[in-house]
Amino acid sequence: QVQLVESGGGLVQTGGSLRLSCAASGTIFSINKMGWYRQAPGKQRELVAGITPGGITNYADSVKGRFTISRDNAKNTVYLQMNSLKPEDTAVYYCNADLVSWVVGRAGNYWGQGTQVTVSS
């Protein structure tokens, strides 16, 4: 009933850029915080960046100054602009949202299916 669909992943060379998008759809009443996480092979999933409905952002230290998170509340969409990419940024990137579904009637945490980002050296 609620879907988060990511797009924009792919293969890029070191120093390149990618822009990820995540659109939330379905029985959504309201969306609170949205964010991006990533998981590299053999590692735990980690927070990359988060953003509140009012635009307050937070970033992992490893991406500060290179990545920018933004959102379009009217479109229920969150973006991640990734610049100066490094091989260590290679991971599956997941969209995450705290939202209220009018069907469920209470807040819940939802994940997208993930999109692969590969940075070649």
Side-chain angles (χ1 to χ4, degrees), residues 1 4 8 10 12 22 29 31 35-36 42 45 62-63 69-70 72 78 83 87 91 93 108 118 121:
Q1 294 158 336
L4 301 180
V12 66
C22 171
F29 177 74
I31 303 178
W36 290 94
R45 190 172 298 189
S62 59
V63 306
I69 189 170
S70 61
D72 185 331
V78 63
N83 299 329
Y93 284 69
T118 302
S121 57

Side-chain angles (χ1 to χ4, degrees), residues 4-114:
L4 301 180
V5 179
E6 300 109 334
S7 61
L11 173 65
V12 66
Q13 291 185 334
T14 296
S17 298
L18 284 173
R19 188 189 193 214
L20 305 183
S21 300
C22 171
S25 63
T27 57
I28 298 170
F29 177 74
S30 64
I31 303 178
N32 192 8
K33 191 167 186 177
M34 302 184 81
W36 290 94
Y37 287 72
R38 67 186 181 187
Q39 188 166 20
K43 295 188 177 181
Q44 289 188 330
R45 190 172 298 189
E46 63 176 0
L47 173 68
V48 176
I51 185 168
T52 67
I56 298 173
T57 59
N58 63 290
Y59 295 93
D61 288 342
S62 59
V63 306
K64 283 181 180 177
R66 300 188 297 121
F67 291 10
T68 302
I69 189 170
S70 61
R71 64 190 283 173
D72 185 331
N73 292 329
K75 295 181 179 179
N76 290 340
T77 299
V78 63
Y79 306 95
L80 186 68
Q81 178 66 44
M82 304 185 293
N83 299 329
S84 302
L85 283 161
K86 305 175 182 180
E88 50 263 44
D89 295 317
T90 295
V92 178
Y93 284 69
Y94 296 91
C95 177
N96 179 267
D98 290 329
L99 61 86
V100 178
S101 164
W102 57 262
V103 171
V104 177
R106 63 180 184 273
N109 188 257
Y110 295 81
W111 292 92
Q113 81 286 353

